[in-house]
Amino acid sequence: MYFPYFITYMAVGFVISLVVFLWAIKNGQFKDQKRARFLPLEDELEPSVAKVSTFKRYEVYTLLFLALAGLAASGAVLVFSLLNANI
Amino acid sequence: MTTNATSALPTYMTAKGFCLTSGFWMMVATFMGLLGATELIAPDLTENIGWLVFGRVRPIHVNLVLFGFVTPGLLSSAFYYVPRLLRTELYSEKLGVITVLAWNFALVTVVVSLAMGYSQGREYAEMIWPIDMLIVLAFTLVFINLIMTVAQRKEPILYVSVWYVCAGIVLTAVTFSLGNVIWKPNSGSLVGIPDAILLWFYGHNVFGLLLTPLSAGVAYYVIPRACRAPLYSHTLSLFGFWSLLVVYTHIGTHHLLQVPVPTWLKVISIVDSVAMVIPVMAFLINIWYTAKGKLGEIHADIGAKFVFTGTIMYFFVSIQGSMMALPDVQRVTHFNNWVVAHAHVGVLGFAGMISLGGLYYILPRITGKPLYSRFLADFQYWLILIGVIGFTVVLTIVGLIQGNAWLNGETVYRILPEMHVYYVTRASIGLIIFSSAILGLYNILRSIFFNPGEIS
């Protein structure tokens, strides 16, 4: 009998989420969203640690290549697995 | 109850404690991973050393990565940014330090008990009941400190990072308690399929509802600050947060598509797994648009560099995860090393990268001095990046070999020679990651205790 545990799990999560959501609406958490965007920046800002010009282009290209290679590999293996799944 | 009431500046003792915790246990956890990978190519390596057999080393590795390395790293950032975003002080640094000590005590008991063979034998939930309770206690202490900080805030609006970290702690407390069946201390489990269902709600959600929200919280704080630009859209970030709660909580059963659980439960898990695209893209669009045209600033800050790379890994692992929940894909990709590759992209590439990024971002700010060595941090970054890509490629290939063999009814021992070279490569990559952990711990120790840098 799995239902009591499963329903308990979902019910606890649902009730907590609903209570907090209603609190957020009542408390005005969804208002003034434009100001909220700036909240991390309202702290004092440290001086710039490095100039933008020190940006190493080759490092970006390498990162891009690795990212694209990862994407291509993931895509290739997905296609491969689908072709071989005897669907 | 503010510890810092008498001092002008916060001490950040809790954040420092979690930094050290993360750095140290990353080293131990990755060593266990390396040891386990080596045992797969040399099974006699630890012959007759009972506490180091693969069956004990593997759960130690997994649980230490989860609770020893990644979560404390993410919490160290949270204990820094939550008070700052709320324009207040941490509720109690003293309670925070006690939490760090309790957390580390729990980790020691995890290692000792699992090495001694005390295990519940449930994947990701191996710890026995007393240790489960210690972990629940540690999470409760974290929650009390954070929620009381929220209660005493001077800033009325809760920034999305605060939402994420508070939700992550609450959801994990619920998930952990239910998933570990803590109301049955003797077994820590139910019986049969109901236990499998409950376990995999825990097994997936301990990543999805702990590491993901904590990582998102760090990214939402670090990226705007590093770019010196406001968040692209706070409304979109809240949409992503609430949709994550709705969608992510139900997907655990996609680990059980090939076993006799009710079909309706499988359907829910598959639909919600695919629907994960919504919160994931809401998060990524927001972060990437915030960083648009600011890659130079991200590159200039080693913490932001780790974090931003983590978001790219999040894209990969999430798209992969949605695809892997499809039954036809899973017939090849499940029950083999494909899943191990997926887990490494998620836990090391996404959450681990962001954990280290947050840690390196806050270190200069909590010590008041520059990071001890930017070079070491950069070196660690590249070692981990190469390691994650390597793990992904190698383990994905092995997974496909295993998956196709399984599908075609091939005998297991006939494919072992085919897999061997990849397992050797995997252990080599494990060595790279372990080396990077040592460098990281050294850098953290020097940054906190023996830092010759000028006080800013």
Side-chain angles (χ1 to χ4, degrees):
Chain A
M1 185 68 178
Y2 57 89
F3 285 103
Y5 306 105
F6 180 55
I7 290 170
T8 302
Y9 182 92
M10 288 203 302
V12 169
F14 180 73
V15 169
I16 292 175
S17 303
L18 192 64
V19 168
V20 175
F21 188 71
L22 291 175
W23 172 85
I25 291 175
K26 192 179 172 188
N27 202 254
Q29 289 298 323
F30 301 123
K31 295 176 182 172
D32 208 3
Q33 291 293 297
K34 286 189 177 175
R35 190 175 75 81
R37 296 171 60 215
F38 290 85
L39 284 178
L41 304 176
E42 287 180 9
D43 223 351
E44 75 281 9
L45 279 174
E46 301 83 7
S48 182
V49 289
K51 292 177 182 174
V52 178
S53 58
T54 58
F55 188 62
K56 294 171 185 168
R57 193 170 292 272
Y58 68 88
E59 202 170 341
V60 180
Y61 288 145
T62 310
L63 186 60
L64 190 64
F65 170 75
L66 289 171
L68 289 174
L71 186 62
S74 298
V77 290
L78 270 175
V79 171
F80 181 78
S81 59
L82 284 170
L83 287 176
N84 287 275
N86 297 325
I87 302 166
Chain B
M1 189 165 121
T2 47
T3 310
N4 300 314
T6 55
S7 60
L9 292 171
T11 58
Y12 297 120
M13 289 300 288
T14 312
K16 286 176 188 172
F18 274 117
C19 278
L20 291 167
T21 302
S22 177
F24 173 75
W25 289 107
M26 181 189 181
M27 187 181 68
V28 181
T30 52
F31 175 75
M32 285 298 173
L34 170 62
L35 182 60
T38 310
E39 288 176 356
L40 289 176
I41 54 176
D44 296 335
L45 183 72
T46 53
E47 193 180 26
N48 296 327
I49 309 176
W51 57 281
L52 282 182
V53 295
F54 184 81
R56 298 186 191 184
V57 166
R58 198 260 181 183
I60 294 175
H61 165 65
V62 169
N63 284 291
L64 282 187
V65 166
L66 178 58
F67 292 117
F69 157 42
V70 182
T71 304
L74 294 169
L75 283 177
S76 68
S77 307
F79 275 102
Y80 171 79
Y81 69 66
V82 168
R84 297 182 84 85
L85 285 168
L86 299 173
R87 316 276 173 258
T88 185
E89 293 174 349
L90 184 65
Y91 171 64
S92 170
E93 286 288 357
K94 195 181 289 181
L95 179 61
V97 172
I98 291 170
T99 308
V100 172
L101 293 174
W103 196 286
N104 279 278
F105 178 68
L107 291 171
V108 171
T109 60
V110 166
V111 175
V112 172
S113 62
L114 289 175
M116 290 173 70
Y118 290 99
S119 169
Q120 292 179 340
R122 301 164 84 238
E123 194 173 8
Y124 301 135
E126 290 90 353
M127 283 89 77
I128 53 176
W129 187 80
I131 298 170
D132 288 342
M133 299 313 291
L134 273 176
I135 293 172
V136 171
L137 173 71
F139 272 102
T140 306
L141 294 178
V142 170
F143 178 69
I144 291 170
N145 218 348
L146 291 178
I147 205 70
M148 292 307 291
T149 307
V150 171
Q152 69 178 22
R153 71 190 189 280
K154 297 186 179 77
E155 167 58 56
I157 297 282
L158 300 183
Y159 183 65
V160 65
S161 296
V162 180
W163 278 108
Y164 268 116
V165 69
C166 289
I169 302 301
V170 173
L171 290 167
T172 302
V174 175
T175 305
F176 190 90
S177 302
L178 284 167
N180 283 277
V181 197
I182 60 169
W183 61 94
K184 291 197 173 185
N186 290 336
S187 63
S189 65
L190 304 176
V191 178
I193 290 295
D195 187 62
I197 293 172
L198 211 53
L199 171 67
W200 281 109
F201 270 103
Y202 167 72
H204 200 98
N205 287 356
V206 78
F207 296 104
L209 296 179
L210 174 63
L211 302 190
T212 300
L214 293 187
S215 301
V218 173
Y220 273 127
Y221 180 74
V222 170
I223 296 298
R225 280 189 65 85
C227 294
R228 293 156 203 281
L231 184 66
Y232 175 65
S233 167
H234 196 258
T235 309
L236 183 61
S237 73
L238 289 181
F239 171 73
F241 169 77
W242 288 102
S243 59
L244 183 90
L245 292 198
V246 171
V247 173
Y248 217 144
T249 42
H250 306 134
I251 67 176
T253 306
H254 70 201
H255 287 263
L256 301 168
L257 297 185
Q258 300 176 54
V259 294
V261 300
T263 304
W264 64 269
L265 198 50
K266 291 182 183 178
V267 172
I268 287 177
S269 71
I270 295 167
V271 170
D272 279 0
S273 298
V274 175
M276 270 301 293
V277 170
I278 297 168
V280 168
M281 291 318 294
F283 167 72
L284 291 175
I285 286 170
N286 220 349
I287 291 293
W288 290 348
Y289 264 94
T290 304
K292 189 180 177 188
K294 306 273 187 181
L295 287 178
E297 278 84 345
I298 285 178
H299 182 269
D301 188 305
I302 182 61
K305 195 164 132 178
F306 266 104
V307 171
F308 193 77
T309 308
T311 65
I312 296 170
M313 294 294 177
Y314 186 44
F315 172 73
F316 286 129
V317 78
S318 300
I319 297 300
Q320 196 183 33
S322 294
M323 296 294 175
M324 285 162 64
L326 300 174
D328 286 332
V329 175
Q330 199 175 104
R331 287 173 69 190
V332 177
T333 61
H334 208 55
F335 295 125
N336 58 53
N337 274 291
W338 173 295
V339 180
V340 185
H342 175 70
H344 279 80
V345 182
V347 180
L348 181 59
F350 161 52
M353 276 279 195
I354 292 185
S355 173
L356 286 167
L359 195 149
Y360 282 129
Y361 184 81
I362 67 163
L363 263 177
R365 289 153 181 91
I366 61 177
T367 59
K369 295 177 179 179
L371 191 66
Y372 168 68
S373 170
R374 159 80 196 225
F375 169 76
L376 279 182
D378 252 327
F379 195 50
Q380 186 185 22
Y381 168 86
W382 280 103
L383 288 181
I384 293 178
L385 184 62
I386 291 166
V388 170
I389 303 279
F391 274 143
T392 309
V393 173
V394 168
L395 294 171
T396 299
I397 292 172
V398 179
L400 285 175
I401 292 172
Q402 292 175 304
N404 278 289
W406 181 291
L407 203 63
N408 295 318
E410 184 61 272
T411 315
V412 171
Y413 78 87
R414 282 169 59 87
I415 59 164
L416 292 180
E418 216 177 325
M419 291 160 49
H420 186 72
V421 63
Y422 299 106
Y423 272 23
V424 174
T425 314
R426 168 205 227 178
S428 310
I429 295 168
L431 185 60
I432 292 175
I433 301 293
F434 174 57
S435 310
S436 82
I438 296 173
L439 295 181
L441 177 61
Y442 179 73
N443 211 1
I444 293 167
L445 283 171
R446 291 297 304 251
S447 295
I448 294 179
F449 295 115
F450 314 103
N451 194 341
E454 292 285 325
I455 294 175
S456 60

